[in-house]
Amino acid sequence: MTGQRPTLILVHEPERACRDRLLADGFSQKAATEISSYLAQSTDLAPEFGALADACARRGLDFRAVELDDAAVAMAACDRKTTLVWTLTDGIAYFRGGAAPALARLNGLATIGADDSLFALCQDKFRAGAVLAALGLPVPLAGLARGGRWLVEPPASSSGYFVKPNRLGAKIGIWKDSRCSVANEALVLGRRVFDAYRDDVIVQPYVAGRNVRASFLAVDIDAGPQALGIVFVDSGGDFQTMADSMALYGETGSAARAEGRYAEPELVAVGSLQPRAAEKIRQIAARLTTGLGLRDVFSLDFRVEADDTVYLIEFEVCPGLPCFDFRDYCRTEWRLGLADAMAETAARRLLR
């Protein structure tokens, strides 16, 4: 693809492609369906590709949605001066989207989002936590277990532990009993995760408080932490489980809608209830942009206690753009629907 007309390339890995690959690798149908649901935003955004193309056209851009398996050929044919690559779905282990920003760099193409090194880092919670701690950020200490043995023992904890897969997102492998009392119980949970998903588990001291999501999209190129959308995400429980997540997004979310099981968590602006906590989160985001290199589009997950104590749990370089919380952020912060917010973000970079 050559020529002078500016073009936005949106690279995504579909659920079905991931599921077929996992099945071929010997995963059970159940595990493959659960794991591939991480890529639900490809499923959920696909019906809006036409709206994205229209929104881009109104701003003088062409739009092209490219499946990951076709990305290498597509990018090799792109005009370096007029192409912008936006990676919709990331991944380094069970998912492969982290290859897209690396391919863009290989072909000398401009990108939306962080550089490819962060696409790898954010997918490994244990390594990411070590880097975040080195930056002086408030992350819980962690142990790491593989099957039924410790690779790194967790710190002592009077509040118990929280156990989750190290390289799986979208709450995959998080069950109602993922909070446990003692380290030995964490090893049992680790064995269950390993048997189902072949993944290590990260084991952290349980952190009290409410779940908070901070979303960011630099529709304005110069936007900073003040453009963050910071909300409590209340799903009715202490933490969101795999079942909760799968009932909201992708192919399984569509089925939940059809069966009347779809219910979005409540979103409440943190600043309206705990402004000091919201300001701490903005300061953390500023540190992540300067010290880690987050930019353009990302999300951050926190636990916030009633006394404004803030814990950074993890960061995402490919937030779920079609998810209810990110759509709400685009409407609230930028007064735009998702397609227009994405098109405007791309246009301001390509046409600057």
Side-chain angles (χ1 to χ4, degrees), residues 2-340:
T2 60
Q4 296 302 311
R5 186 171 171 86
T7 300
L8 172 63
I9 300 283
L10 187 70
V11 182
H12 60 102
E13 182 178 12
E15 283 184 85
R16 56 171 171 74
C18 177
R19 184 170 58 251
D20 290 347
R21 184 166 44 82
L22 292 169
L23 289 172
D25 198 32
F27 283 87
S28 69
Q29 180 71 52
K30 181 175 184 293
T33 298
E34 291 169 353
I35 293 170
S36 62
S37 73
Y38 176 82
L39 302 172
Q41 56 182 309
S42 287
T43 301
D44 292 340
L45 194 57
E48 298 178 59
F49 286 163
L52 261 169
D54 292 342
C56 285
R58 290 194 296 271
R59 294 165 172 85
L61 312 181
D62 285 338
F63 170 76
R64 186 178 177 189
V66 175
E67 292 191 7
L68 184 64
D69 288 330
D70 303 322
V73 173
M75 288 192 207
C78 287
D79 185 338
R80 294 186 177 189
K81 295 181 180 180
T82 59
T83 303
L84 182 67
V85 175
W86 193 327
T87 301
L88 178 66
T89 51
D90 58 8
I92 57 168
Y94 305 89
F95 323 106
R96 301 168 297 156
L103 283 171
R105 182 161 62 89
L106 180 66
N107 287 282
L109 303 175
T111 60
I112 287 283
D115 67 56
D116 43 290
S117 66
L118 291 190
F119 276 72
L121 181 65
C122 79
Q123 286 279 303
D124 189 315
K125 298 180 182 69
F126 187 75
R127 292 177 182 175
V131 172
L132 296 174
L135 287 171
L137 297 172
V139 293
L141 298 176
L144 188 69
R146 179 171 300 155
R149 63 186 182 89
W150 294 114
L151 300 179
V152 178
E153 291 195 19
S157 172
S158 60
S159 59
Y161 296 94
F162 193 78
V163 182
K164 57 188 176 183
N166 189 46
R167 297 176 301 168
L168 286 167
K171 317 306 179 192
I172 308 305
I174 295 179
W175 300 288
K176 290 182 179 180
D177 60 351
S178 289
R179 179 187 175 187
C180 59
S181 300
V182 296
N184 284 342
E185 293 177 6
L187 283 180
V188 173
L189 284 166
R191 167 56 68 181
R192 191 198 305 174
V193 167
F194 190 82
D195 289 346
Y197 311 112
R198 308 178 193 172
D199 198 13
D200 300 341
V201 292
I202 182 171
V203 180
Q204 297 173 317
Y206 171 78
V207 174
R210 297 172 68 183
N211 297 314
V212 167
R213 167 67 55 83
S215 300
F216 182 79
L217 178 64
V219 175
D220 180 344
I221 297 175
D222 299 318
Q226 291 307 312
L228 278 172
I230 308 171
V231 294
F232 290 113
V233 183
D234 294 325
S235 58
D238 183 33
F239 53 87
Q240 195 176 46
T241 66
M242 175 176 59
D244 295 331
S245 181
M246 291 183 70
L248 290 172
Y249 312 119
E251 296 173 1
T252 53
S254 297
R257 286 182 176 88
E259 296 167 7
R261 295 184 290 106
Y262 180 85
E264 293 180 0
E266 181 183 2
L267 303 177
V268 179
V270 173
S272 68
L273 300 178
Q274 296 183 238
R276 288 182 60 234
E279 182 55 32
K280 287 182 180 180
I281 289 171
R282 295 188 196 284
Q283 292 172 3
I284 290 170
R287 178 66 173 141
L288 287 168
T289 58
T290 58
L292 195 63
L294 291 186
R295 65 182 179 92
D296 296 336
V297 58
F298 58 84
S299 67
L300 311 171
D301 288 332
F302 297 87
R303 292 280 274 188
V304 174
E305 296 190 27
D307 65 357
D308 295 324
T309 298
V310 171
Y311 298 94
L312 174 61
I313 303 302
E314 59 187 62
F315 69 93
E316 290 285 348
V317 294
C318 279
L321 301 183
C323 297
F324 65 93
D325 56 307
F326 202 88
R327 290 182 189 274
D328 180 81
Y329 164 70
C330 290
R331 289 192 299 266
T332 302
E333 177 63 32
W334 298 109
R335 303 294 190 266
L336 293 170
L338 179 61
D340 279 307

